[in-house]
Amino acid sequence: MEESDLTTDRPVAAPAGWSAWLRDWTVVVPFIGALAVAVTWGIELEPPIAVVVFLLLAASVMAAVHHAEVVAHRVGEPFGSLVLAVAVTVIEVALIVTLMLAGGPETASLARDTVFAAVMITCNGILGVSVLIAALRDRVATFNAEGTATALATVATLTTLSLVLPTVTTSAVSQQFTGSQLASAAIASLVLYGVFVLVQTVRHRDYFVPPGDDHRTDVGEAPSDRRSLASLGLLLVALVAVVGLAKVESPVIESFVIAIGAPASAVGVVIALLVLLPETLAAIRNARRGRVQASMNLSLGSAIASIGLTIPTIAVLSIWLPGPLVLGLEPTQLVLFAITMLVGSLTILPGRATVQEGAVHLVLLGAFLLLAVIP
């Protein structure tokens, strides 16, 4: 039997025996990462070792998302995009928490910076490159506007409730929530995320597949049950490796940001770029095959999961985390968020987009990345 290889997009023969299975780097890397955590835990890393650990961290993230893709391919759309979004969010939360525990007062805004960076990268970067590639392929990128608009509206509401309101509320000090306000935002985030999952997977599933599709957008034969279960187990091992390696590498990441003269907020951008890189590659592969709706589900679904799951988790953990929790956006971030939501609406509502819309979103991403390093 042949299975779809989600790394190469070509059907390949299923691994024959344990030796072939162990030659797959996505199988070996999670275990190497877990072993590296045990060896380097509590040790100050020398520069060469720090580089190796960072590369292993990136490889573990790639392996984790690869195995999430295998499971996603098995369950099909839109459940597949949901699996990927949740897996990426687990990694994101783990990186945020480990860095906040290891850092000092300068990490007070790390959760805000990472979540906002995820919103900008998904709504401008992943969405923009997907539209651009699909439009270059078919002249016009087409997708289901009903479901995509619902997802964008949810992103806008979640971001406003969690990141915009702390900037303008007056009960707490600048850019912070009171305890009751934070609890309210966390509950609202969970409710909106839960309702979105219900709408996407049950009540209006047809809104999140291409028009005329029969709820199956996967290309090629789905992975077997055995391979899917193996990937599920390897996904858990990879997540453990990511959390541990992030803890080990966190001082090096912060030192690098300081060395290039970037503000502390750039650490959040580094986290978001690292975590979302594999998902970006998955969206690009879908766009190259003309599956724009799957790319849209990945981009906006990741943004929704990033806010809807990260903010409640951080809200609970803030009870034990040292220092304040700064969630309110800075003026520059507010401007970028407003223009992103406006342009995103104009891109999505027609259900069709050209290379122009893709280019506009990518330019917005470039502006965000530049201002993150040179505010």
Side-chain angles (χ1 to χ4, degrees), residues 248-262:
V248 171
E249 190 74 8
S250 58
V252 180
I253 295 176
E254 293 172 346
S255 299
F256 171 76
V257 170
I258 294 173
I260 64 175

Side-chain angles (χ1 to χ4, degrees), residues 6-7 25-26 29-30 57-73 80-81 83-92 95 126 227 231-232 234-239 242 272-283 285 298 302:
L6 297 180
T7 303
W25 72 269
T26 62
V29 163
L57 172 60
S60 297
V61 172
M62 296 282 285
V65 179
H66 167 81
H67 291 298
E69 281 189 317
V70 174
V71 178
H73 192 200
S81 298
V83 171
L84 284 170
V86 172
V88 167
T89 304
V90 170
I91 298 173
E92 180 183 25
L95 291 173
I126 300 179
R227 183 183 177 188
S231 288
L232 182 60
L234 288 167
L235 172 61
L236 296 177
V237 176
L239 292 178
V242 168
L273 286 171
L274 176 64
V275 170
L276 291 170
L277 176 59
E279 198 157 29
T280 301
L281 297 177
R285 289 198 297 270
L298 279 170
S302 295

Side-chain angles (χ1 to χ4, degrees), residues 128-183:
V129 74
S130 299
V131 168
L132 183 64
I133 291 174
L136 289 173
R137 176 184 184 272
D138 301 322
R139 295 186 60 86
V140 176
T142 58
F143 44 87
N144 196 326
E146 293 172 304
T148 310
T150 299
L152 183 66
T154 307
V155 172
T157 303
L158 285 170
T159 306
T160 300
L161 292 177
S162 301
L163 304 182
V164 175
L165 289 183
T167 304
V168 297
T169 53
T170 58
S171 297
V173 296
S174 178
Q175 297 175 299
Q176 296 183 42
F177 271 145
T178 64
S180 59
Q181 289 172 336
L182 181 59

Side-chain angles (χ1 to χ4, degrees), residues 2-335:
E2 291 188 337
E3 296 178 355
S4 175
D5 184 344
L6 297 180
T7 303
T8 62
D9 293 329
R10 294 189 302 269
V12 297
W18 288 99
S19 60
W21 186 68
L22 289 174
R23 284 198 296 269
D24 186 350
W25 72 269
T26 62
V27 173
V28 178
V29 163
F31 294 103
I32 296 177
L35 179 61
V37 171
V39 172
T40 59
W41 189 266
I43 299 175
E44 184 176 350
L45 303 181
E46 296 294 329
I49 302 300
V51 172
V52 173
V53 171
F54 180 80
L55 293 176
L56 191 54
L57 172 60
S60 297
V61 172
M62 296 282 285
V65 179
H66 167 81
H67 291 298
E69 281 189 317
V70 174
V71 178
H73 192 200
R74 183 71 180 89
V75 299
E77 285 294 324
F79 297 99
S81 298
L82 180 63
V83 171
L84 284 170
V86 172
V88 167
T89 304
V90 170
I91 298 173
E92 180 183 25
V93 171
L95 291 173
I96 292 173
V97 171
T98 52
L99 288 174
M100 291 186 73
L101 288 173
E106 63 273 9
T107 62
S109 63
L110 181 61
R112 174 202 69 187
D113 297 329
T114 305
V115 171
F116 182 70
V119 172
M120 290 293 102
I121 293 169
T122 53
C123 293
N124 285 320
I126 300 179
L127 188 150
V129 74
S130 299
V131 168
L132 183 64
I133 291 174
L136 289 173
R137 176 184 184 272
D138 301 322
R139 295 186 60 86
V140 176
T142 58
F143 44 87
N144 196 326
E146 293 172 304
T148 310
T150 299
L152 183 66
T154 307
V155 172
T157 303
L158 285 170
T159 306
T160 300
L161 292 177
S162 301
L163 304 182
V164 175
L165 289 183
T167 304
V168 297
T169 53
T170 58
S171 297
V173 296
S174 178
Q175 297 175 299
Q176 296 183 42
F177 271 145
T178 64
S180 59
Q181 289 172 336
L182 181 59
S184 176
I187 293 171
S189 298
L190 281 176
V191 169
L192 283 176
Y193 180 74
V195 173
F196 176 76
V197 170
L198 176 66
V199 168
Q200 185 185 35
T201 60
V202 181
R203 293 189 62 87
H204 298 286
R205 187 181 174 190
D206 55 314
Y207 287 4
F208 297 89
V209 295
D213 195 274
D214 61 355
H215 303 315
R216 178 97 185 153
T217 59
D218 294 303
V219 175
E221 186 178 357
S224 64
D225 290 340
R226 186 174 66 174
R227 183 183 177 188
S228 299
L229 289 174
S231 288
L232 182 60
L234 288 167
L235 172 61
L236 296 177
V237 176
L239 292 178
V240 170
V242 168
V243 174
L245 291 172
K247 174 66 175 177
V248 171
E249 190 74 8
S250 58
V252 180
I253 295 176
E254 293 172 346
S255 299
F256 171 76
V257 170
I258 294 173
I260 64 175
S265 60
V267 174
V269 180
V270 173
I271 294 174
L273 286 171
L274 176 64
V275 170
L276 291 170
L277 176 59
E279 198 157 29
T280 301
L281 297 177
I284 290 174
R285 289 198 297 270
N286 282 315
R288 289 175 59 188
R289 296 199 300 255
R291 301 171 61 205
V292 186
Q293 187 61 51
S295 297
M296 293 291 188
N297 292 345
L298 279 170
S299 61
L300 298 178
S302 295
I304 293 171
S306 179
I307 307 172
L309 297 178
T310 301
I311 295 300
T313 304
I314 296 298
V316 173
L317 294 177
S318 65
I319 300 173
W320 298 280
L321 290 174
L325 180 62
V326 176
L327 291 177
L329 296 177
E330 299 289 348
T332 302
Q333 294 172 324
L334 289 171
V335 172

